[in-house]
């Protein structure tokens, strides 16, 4: 398990006319599995610091513990990505949590690292290319399409695009939902994915790479930052990642062979 | 179910020396429950538009459907918050999904509206107050504490604070995780919650109100936007919400009686 706060990764920085091979710091992202009273309970993907606080807070906000005394022991094995928790009693909330989970909260993200071993996830095979100028134009278009964001500041936006235009664009309070909507619109119309890119406002975490890989999309473009785990996965899954697209700037992190630099 | 894109809410806007009673548009947030082949499958909280695309995309990225033909029928009853989906076959992925869910993705959010009926969630009883100038100072402090954000741009930050200072501050790639860490640190040390506030960089969605209510915290402060559902819940649960805190500006949405305006 990566235990540093940040991970050093190679990057190609484009700033106006300047193109520079460099290194960048990205935030680390790791899976942590919690065992509650000797039973596997939940796995979260998180930044690898203050893991005891994360797990204690999670148990509190989920109603598993109420008072400090309810939490008898919490032991973090950071090198292993494991946390052992002992509570004073098996509260009814624990069964409630699992029930609620099945009924409601699933699928909004936290299962990333399982997917790498999943037969359904294979490297994306695609000769798709896009130019750096096209990326800037697509990003301006994404910004102009975000009408709910403009009136409320409360949404993320995501689109599915060719090199020339955004075909489907959606907004949602959840960055996962915005991407799912863009992919879902294309899926409902039977559109091919391996000659398209996803463009979004939110960060590129490992779950985003899972979505893109699952659909078979070769390129993900964001105005925000990627995480270290996302870049590891994108590298393995033959996915091009472009981050921090803003005005005349962008960073290429993985598989730069799909980006033609033409500014 | 609220089916408009945005919701109109009362707000007190503070801009430098100016204090104005006004209305604001916030993004709507609704629960949607998906039935898959006549079985209740998952509930998501989302923005109430393009729900067919959201569900189709979700099924795609979760590996429940692979080709357009796999999705035989999708029927949205928006007024009811229900979606019926029929797939060509009961794929193994469906059982995998539930298994994965139990093991991993739970608890990162999507169970909000169940909580309102949950015996564990009651209105916060607290005489805590804070001044508008203190909020601005706390927000500057939050920004200065975000060291991983400064070096990577990839984290959210959240703190638990008194009116005077941030006692616990954490960063994480997930905005949920950052809040859980801040609450967890305090919980581990047995600190009282009902004379504290949560201050965060990320948006105030309904799940954030659940966390704050669960801990019994009377005030949530964010540099970002709230959602309509979050404000409904905060109103019922006697929680003060302050959004869009930036430089000398802030918006008070619910229970303004806890904010002393002194600028």
């Amino acid at each position: 398990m990566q235990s540093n706060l940040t991970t050093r990764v190679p990057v190609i920085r484009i700033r106006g006319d300047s193109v520079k091979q460099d290194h960048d710091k990205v935030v680390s992202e790791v899976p942590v599995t919690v065992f509650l009273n000797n039973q596997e309970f939940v796995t979260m993907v998180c930044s690898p610091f203050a893991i005891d606080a994360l797990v204690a807070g999670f148990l509190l906000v989920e109603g598993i513990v109420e008072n400090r005394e309810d939490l008898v022991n919490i032991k973090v094995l950071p090198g292993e990505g494991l946390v052992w928790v002992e509570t004073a009693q098996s509260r009814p909330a624990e069964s409630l949590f699992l029930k609620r989970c099945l009924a409601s909260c699933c699928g909004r993200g936290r299962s990333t690292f399982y997917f790498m071993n999943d037969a359904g996830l294979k490297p994306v095979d695609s000769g798709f290319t896009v130019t750096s100028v096209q990326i800037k134009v697509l990003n301006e278009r994404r910004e102009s399409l975000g009408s709910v964001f403009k009136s409320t500041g409360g949404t993320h936006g995501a689109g599915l695009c060719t090199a020339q235009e955004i075909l489907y664009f959606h907004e949602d309070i959840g960055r996962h939902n915005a991407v799912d909507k863009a992919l879902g619109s294309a899926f409902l119309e039977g559109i091919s994915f391996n000659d398209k890119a996803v463009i979004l406002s939110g960060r590129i975490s490992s779950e985003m790479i899972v979505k893109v890989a699952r659909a078979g999309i070769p390129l993900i473009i964001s105005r925000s930052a990627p995480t270290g785990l996302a870049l590891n996965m994108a590298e393995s899954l033959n996915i091009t990642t472009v981050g921090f697209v803003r005005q005349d700037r962008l960073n290429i992190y993985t598989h730069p062979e799909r980006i033609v630099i033409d500014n």
Side-chain angles (χ1 to χ4, degrees), chain A:
Chain A
M1 189 167 108
Q2 171 79 37
S3 64
N4 295 319
L5 303 193
T6 61
T7 306
R8 188 176 147 92
V9 296
V11 66
I12 299 169
R13 292 185 200 279
I14 302 183
R15 301 282 178 272
D17 292 338
S18 142
V19 179
K20 197 174 146 198
Q21 290 267 6
D22 197 359
H23 283 85
D24 201 2
K25 270 196 245 175
V26 296
V27 65
S28 299
E29 183 186 14
V30 300
V32 170
T33 300
V34 179
F35 283 76
L36 178 62
N37 300 325
N38 295 314
Q39 282 200 302
E40 185 172 338
F41 184 56
V42 68
T43 297
M44 299 179 257
V45 181
C46 63
S47 301
F49 27 98
I51 288 174
D52 56 343
L54 171 65
V55 173
F58 176 79
L59 295 172
L60 173 69
V61 301
E62 289 294 330
I64 311 297
V65 295
E66 270 181 30
N67 305 300
R68 180 63 186 85
E69 304 74 57
D70 296 339
L71 187 55
V72 176
N73 196 11
I74 182 166
K75 190 175 168 187
V76 180
L77 286 88
E80 313 291 332
L82 295 175
V83 182
W84 264 267
V85 175
E86 192 188 335
T87 56
Q89 49 189 322
S90 255
R91 293 169 49 82
E94 294 174 29
S95 49
L96 179 67
F97 172 75
L98 294 181
K99 184 159 158 280
R100 245 190 0 233
C101 166
L102 277 173
S104 65
C105 71
C106 305
R108 303 289 80 196
R110 294 292 181 266
S111 43
T112 305
F113 67 107
Y114 288 101
F115 286 68
M116 287 298 278
N117 296 320
D118 187 319
L121 269 198
K122 39 188 187 300
V124 177
D125 180 19
S126 166
F128 181 71
T129 63
V130 61
T131 76
S132 52
V133 168
Q134 284 173 328
I135 289 176
K136 290 166 202 169
V137 172
L138 289 166
N139 190 56
E140 283 163 16
R141 180 74 183 136
R142 177 192 59 70
E143 282 181 6
S144 73
L145 286 170
S147 59
V148 184
F149 181 81
K150 273 178 235 161
S151 83
T152 67
T155 56
H156 278 288
L160 186 77
C161 59
T162 65
Q164 287 79 35
E165 59 178 331
I166 296 179
L167 303 178
Y168 303 95
F169 178 83
H170 289 289
E171 292 180 274
D172 200 283
I173 49 162
R175 66 196 177 94
H176 289 278
N177 290 350
V179 171
D180 288 4
K181 283 177 175 179
L183 299 186
S185 285
F187 182 79
L188 285 172
E189 299 195 8
I191 298 289
S192 65
F193 283 113
N194 85 334
D195 52 354
K196 305 289 184 316
V198 162
I199 185 161
L200 68 156
S201 58
R203 283 161 305 144
I204 305 176
S205 57
S206 55
E207 301 115 326
M208 291 297 167
I209 300 296
V210 169
K211 289 180 200 291
V212 165
R214 185 76 78 189
I217 295 168
L219 169 60
I220 182 166
I221 302 164
S222 171
R223 82 173 296 282
S224 304
T227 69
L229 183 57
L231 295 180
N232 282 347
M233 291 175 64
E235 186 61 45
S236 306
L237 292 166
N238 198 27
I239 292 166
T240 301
T241 48
V242 175
F244 288 111
V245 183
R246 292 170 194 198
Q247 285 99 44
D248 67 342
R249 300 171 161 227
L250 59 88
N251 289 349
I252 308 170
Y253 290 98
T254 59
H255 296 284
E257 63 275 12
R258 292 203 184 89
I259 311 297
V260 180
I261 297 170
D262 64 346
N263 42 339

